[in-house]
Amino acid sequence: MRKKIMTISIFVAILLTGCTPEENQELATEEVTIVAGSIGGGWDITARAMQDSLLSENLIDGEIHVLNKVGAGGELGWKYTQQQKDPVLAVNSSLLITNHLLGQSQLTYKDFTLLAILATEWEVVVVSKDSSIDSAKTMMGNLKDAPHDYKIGVSPRLGNDDQLSFVLASKRAGVQPEKLNFQIYENSANVVDALLKKQIDVATMTLAEAKKYYDLDQVKILVISSDDRLKELPEVPTWSEEGIEIVFEHWRGIMGPPDMTEDEIRFWDQTIEKMVQTEQWQQTLEKYMWKDFYMNSSETTQFLEQQSKMYEDLMKTNEGNE
């Protein structure tokens, strides 16, 4: 009996030592790939911010590469990620949910291993610097009278938060959202280019995407989806100040291929939790005016379940735009 008890004790000890942080550290292989969309877009900015933070703080021993897979509203990159066995992660956003709801993708969040929600940022509406549209209130008033008259630029496809935030604001303003004239572009750079060439009248995008063109004095930011004015942009009013009660946060997260092991999930939980506390990551939040919104893998799964229900209700408003 003594020998049997000792054998069981040794076996339990081996199991426990197999779950230590030191063992998990070995799961960080020599090469990690983070899949993103077009260079300079929101997913790309997020992927490169992760790359910088993980490497600068030595949270990953090997190399980290950002792989830009452009096309189909994230679908190409996500299909690639789904098929990988090596350490490949992909940046995601609400398109992971809405692509499926719109019938544009067979993939859902359940087809991946959800690892984290990282941050949220605000949506903005921009016009060219010399546009005659001087406020969001004026814009919505014009759209209420003639909803098809303005061409509204959005990327990379309908159903993302850029478009849905505008749809929600227009609905609250009494505009018929199904009659809005959305023009689709591959990325935000193409949207702004079309705006400057007068091919479209208005554009909706995230603040991080719009900020560089605003700093270059190429566009005017009419309105922001935050609850209060940002201290960094005190001149930009909120939707509520323009008479439309809406606050809209755009989230981004990270996920891996399906069937990741518990050890792999535990490793990334530990590593990403450390990453979001680093000085490098905090500087990223400040630089892009993002809001910390970190959730670990289990919290992210619950969050996306809730988001899926919320977007399903919101997409009913958007059906006329397909």
Side-chain angles (χ1 to χ4, degrees):
M1 177 64 70
R2 181 183 177 93
K3 183 176 181 181
K4 183 177 181 181
I5 292 174
M6 184 177 293
T7 302
I8 293 173
S9 299
I10 292 172
F11 178 67
V12 171
I14 290 172
L15 288 178
L16 290 175
T17 56
C19 297
T20 62
E22 288 77 16
E23 179 71 18
N24 283 341
Q25 186 62 36
E26 293 179 7
L27 294 174
T29 57
E30 293 80 8
E31 195 167 359
V32 175
T33 298
I34 305 177
V35 179
S38 60
I39 295 175
W43 295 336
D44 180 65
I45 292 172
T46 303
R48 294 182 191 280
M50 284 191 68
Q51 180 187 44
D52 291 343
S53 298
L54 290 169
L55 291 177
S56 67
E57 301 295 332
N58 297 315
L59 297 177
I60 296 292
D61 291 334
E63 297 180 356
I64 302 177
H65 304 286
V66 174
L67 177 63
N68 296 98
K69 288 278 189 179
V70 182
E75 181 86 354
L76 295 184
W78 294 338
K79 280 185 176 179
Y80 172 84
T81 303
Q82 187 190 33
Q83 297 163 0
Q84 303 307 302
K85 297 298 182 184
D86 295 327
V88 174
L89 309 180
V91 181
N92 61 30
S93 68
S94 60
L95 274 178
L96 183 63
I97 296 171
T98 58
N99 278 356
H100 180 71
L101 292 176
L102 279 172
Q104 296 170 336
S105 173
Q106 295 300 311
L107 295 175
T108 75
Y109 67 91
K110 296 178 182 179
D111 294 313
F112 300 89
T113 302
L114 304 176
L115 296 175
I117 300 295
L118 300 172
T120 63
E121 65 174 315
W122 304 114
E123 297 285 342
V124 297
V125 176
V126 302
V127 294
S128 63
K129 186 65 177 179
D130 58 355
S131 172
S132 61
I133 305 172
D134 58 2
S135 71
K137 187 174 183 179
T138 299
M139 174 189 67
M140 284 300 181
N142 293 339
L143 286 172
K144 190 172 182 180
D145 294 334
H148 203 72
D149 279 3
Y150 286 163
K151 293 180 179 178
I152 307 162
V154 64
S155 71
R157 64 167 45 179
L158 296 182
N160 70 344
D161 279 352
D162 298 348
Q163 189 220 3
L164 291 179
S165 62
F166 196 97
V167 165
L168 185 57
S170 66
K171 185 180 180 183
R172 298 269 171 90
V175 178
Q176 295 177 283
E178 67 275 8
K179 293 185 177 180
L180 293 174
N181 184 5
F182 286 104
Q183 304 292 309
I184 308 168
Y185 296 86
E186 187 63 53
N187 53 52
S188 58
N190 292 343
V191 172
V192 173
D193 184 59
L195 195 65
L196 299 180
K197 290 178 178 177
K198 312 299 183 186
Q199 295 169 353
I200 56 175
D201 305 288
V202 179
T204 174
M205 61 185 63
T206 65
L207 176 57
E209 291 171 321
K211 182 68 162 52
K212 56 187 173 183
Y213 304 105
Y214 181 72
D215 290 341
L216 291 171
D217 202 32
Q218 295 179 327
V219 302
K220 294 186 292 187
I221 300 179
L222 295 182
V223 67
I224 190 167
S225 66
S226 54
D227 44 359
D228 295 303
R229 293 197 186 203
L230 302 187
K231 66 179 188 299
E232 299 89 350
L233 292 171
E235 68 278 12
V236 179
T238 65
W239 277 114
S240 62
E241 290 179 283
E242 297 296 288
I244 301 169
E245 293 301 324
I246 171 179
V247 174
F248 198 104
E249 290 183 278
H250 173 63
W251 54 265
R252 289 200 186 95
I254 196 79
M255 62 190 182
D259 302 321
M260 289 179 69
T261 67
E262 289 300 318
D263 280 348
E264 289 173 319
I265 295 171
R266 187 181 301 110
F267 167 77
W268 285 112
D269 269 346
Q270 293 171 352
T271 302
I272 296 174
E273 183 177 10
K274 291 176 184 176
M275 183 200 77
V276 298
Q277 297 173 23
T278 63
E279 182 63 28
Q280 182 77 25
W281 184 257
Q282 294 304 312
Q283 290 174 2
T284 295
L285 296 181
E286 184 176 350
K287 177 180 179 181
Y288 294 110
M289 289 170 281
W290 292 349
K291 179 180 175 183
D292 177 48
F293 201 60
Y294 171 69
M295 297 182 189
N296 65 20
S297 57
S298 61
E299 294 167 334
T300 297
T301 299
Q302 295 175 11
F303 176 71
L304 262 64
E305 289 173 355
Q306 297 166 357
Q307 288 287 291
S308 184
K309 294 176 183 176
M310 185 272 286
Y311 278 106
E312 188 170 0
D313 291 338
L314 184 55
M315 295 295 285
K316 292 175 183 177
T317 303
N318 193 47
E319 287 175 354
N321 289 310
E322 293 184 45

